[in-house]
Amino acid sequence: MTEASAKRTDVEARRQQIVDAASVCARRSGFHGSSMAEIAQQAGLSVGQIYRYFDSKEAIIAAIVERDMAEMRDKYSELRDGGTSVLDAILTKCVQAVDDLYEPERAALTLEVVAEAARNPAVACILRKADTEERKLQQDLLRDAFPDALDERERTARGEVISMLFEGLAVRGVNNPGTDRKAVGEVLRSVLQHLLTQPPT
């Protein structure tokens, strides 16, 4: 490893340390209630060290969102390149998706990011940019899976409903964490199969 690549690795490790600390603070107190001093304390760093890597709390939130988007890109690639049809790949993943999105720490952090976006225009811009990218990934993936009879308006609307279903899992994971996830996954599979195969009535 060259000195330059080692330095990049160290920077990324430090940034990840800060992002992880901010995530803990956000789940505990919300982003709005978490100061840079509290994030620094959680990370075991000084405030000055935090500002060497992030110039604001919004920049840390942007890094959290980007981490989630990187994971999302990988999932779309897996669905597209998994060796089966897109429809089969999506339906096979339903139960696992419920488990992932009901995971308490993940659900709590997701909702805190959304709550901060509702009050902070800078964070709202970050989240909407990520949503735009995710919707494009989704439509590119689903265009071939949807029935040929759907027009662009219907495809977009069905994609929005699919996003609502998955994003709503985080809320349900907080409000009703003890639900029968397997049963929910099976119903979700049935709903998705309808949305992805049935032509408009």
Side-chain angles (χ1 to χ4, degrees):
M1 182 181 293
T2 66
E3 183 178 346
S5 62
K7 185 175 181 180
R8 282 195 300 272
T9 299
D10 289 344
V11 168
E12 286 306 310
R14 186 67 82 191
R15 284 173 60 87
Q16 189 59 54
Q17 179 183 351
I18 295 166
V19 165
D20 290 343
S23 299
V24 171
C25 291
R27 286 191 291 264
R28 184 173 59 223
S29 306
F31 285 109
H32 196 62
S34 301
S35 67
M36 291 295 263
E38 289 168 325
I39 294 170
Q41 183 179 28
Q42 179 68 39
L45 301 171
S46 69
V47 173
Q49 286 175 300
I50 297 285
Y51 280 112
R52 285 179 58 190
Y53 299 95
F54 295 99
D55 60 13
S56 66
K57 196 189 301 182
E58 288 79 8
I60 298 175
I61 297 172
I64 292 171
V65 173
E66 175 52 35
R67 179 183 63 186
D68 290 346
M69 283 305 303
E71 180 182 329
M72 188 69 64
R73 293 182 201 107
D74 288 343
K75 287 182 177 179
Y76 276 108
S77 294
E78 182 182 348
L79 290 169
R80 186 182 60 243
D81 304 327
T84 62
S85 71
V86 169
L87 175 62
D88 287 343
I90 291 171
L91 297 181
T92 299
K93 296 287 186 182
C94 282
V95 173
Q96 183 60 51
V98 173
D99 276 339
D100 289 346
L101 293 169
Y102 262 64
E103 196 279 318
E105 290 190 354
R106 176 176 183 152
L109 185 59
T110 297
L111 296 180
E112 288 300 340
V113 171
V114 173
E116 185 64 18
R119 67 172 69 93
N120 185 327
V123 176
C125 183
I126 292 165
L127 211 56
R128 287 168 188 165
K129 181 179 178 181
D131 186 72
T132 297
E133 180 184 353
E134 184 178 348
R135 281 186 283 112
K136 183 180 186 307
L137 288 170
Q138 180 202 70
Q139 286 296 313
D140 288 346
L141 180 74
L142 297 180
R143 189 167 282 110
D144 293 335
F146 280 134
D148 292 337
L150 301 187
D151 60 21
E152 187 67 25
R153 181 172 180 268
E154 179 78 9
R155 284 197 301 269
T156 300
R158 290 194 186 197
E160 188 70 11
V161 171
I162 290 170
S163 293
M164 289 164 59
L165 289 170
F166 281 96
E167 290 175 17
L169 289 173
V171 177
R172 300 309 303 158
V174 171
N175 289 346
N176 188 23
T179 193
D180 184 339
R181 298 183 190 183
K182 183 177 179 181
V184 170
E186 290 168 353
V187 172
L188 178 62
R189 176 188 172 97
S190 177
V191 172
L192 288 174
Q193 187 164 23
H194 177 83
L195 288 170
L196 293 171
T197 63
Q198 295 303 307
T201 57

